[in-house]
Amino acid sequence: MDHQPLIQAFAQVDEQIIDLERILNERKSLPLQATVEHAMTLTKQLIIAYIVDVGVKEVPDISGDLLDVFKVLVKSDPSWNTIRDNCRELVYYHNCITMDRMDALPENPEKMAVRTLRHLYLFMKTRCMREERLEMA
């Protein structure tokens, strides 16, 4: 099976995470709302790339809610619930921003959003490697 689209999706998301991490190291901060939204979009890209690669589920729309996209992933494969709380954390940050409840966010929420995104990326990549969808690095 050709896993090239999945391989490319992981490479592209990794490059973007590296950029976010580099900017955080240089500037010590990022624009919060844009960072959280970007993290949610990149997470959806990874989930959708995996769903496409497996090829047995209806592919959700990238413009959909992160948790709705996640539900498609976890349906009939509850082992993916491992990353549910990480997805929910990103949605929580987004909701706090939307409701103007910055006081409810952790310290340095933009850093936490990038770290959560990196965690999601690494978890999904490791799983794809175990399933032989991605090569061992």
Side-chain angles (χ1 to χ4, degrees):
M1 180 173 186
D2 178 25
H3 300 291
Q4 200 58 40
L6 182 68
I7 293 166
Q8 289 174 345
F10 271 86
Q12 290 169 353
V13 169
D14 188 38
E15 287 174 17
Q16 292 185 53
I17 297 171
I18 289 169
D19 283 344
L20 291 170
E21 292 167 335
R22 179 186 51 74
I23 293 167
L24 271 174
N25 286 333
E26 291 172 2
R27 299 184 196 162
K28 305 299 179 207
S29 71
L30 285 164
L32 179 58
Q33 184 169 357
T35 301
V36 170
E37 289 174 2
H38 191 55
M40 291 171 65
T41 298
L42 293 176
T43 301
K44 289 188 286 185
Q45 287 176 357
L46 290 176
I47 291 171
I48 290 169
Y50 180 83
I51 290 169
V52 168
D53 194 72
V54 172
V56 296
K57 297 177 182 177
E58 185 175 331
V59 179
D61 188 336
I62 188 77
S63 66
D65 178 78
L66 173 57
L67 295 179
D68 290 339
V69 172
F70 172 75
K71 285 178 191 174
V72 174
L73 175 68
V74 78
K75 188 174 182 177
S76 76
D77 190 352
S79 65
W80 280 109
N81 273 317
T82 307
I83 62 170
R84 180 188 67 212
D85 287 344
N86 299 108
C87 293
R88 290 173 73 186
E89 182 176 357
L90 293 174
V91 171
Y92 173 77
Y93 291 177
H94 182 264
N95 290 343
C96 286
I97 295 164
T98 302
M99 296 186 310
D100 198 25
R101 286 295 316 269
M102 304 304 268
D103 61 308
L105 290 170
E107 190 172 326
N108 302 311
E110 71 279 7
K111 291 180 183 179
M112 294 302 295
V114 173
R115 287 185 181 129
T116 300
L117 173 60
R118 175 57 79 188
H119 174 78
L120 286 160
Y121 169 86
L122 290 172
F123 180 89
M124 292 186 72
K125 182 175 181 180
T126 301
R127 175 154 173 174
C128 288
M129 289 166 61
R130 276 196 319 262
E131 294 176 359
E132 298 181 357
R133 296 178 188 283
L134 299 175
E135 292 182 14
M136 298 285 183

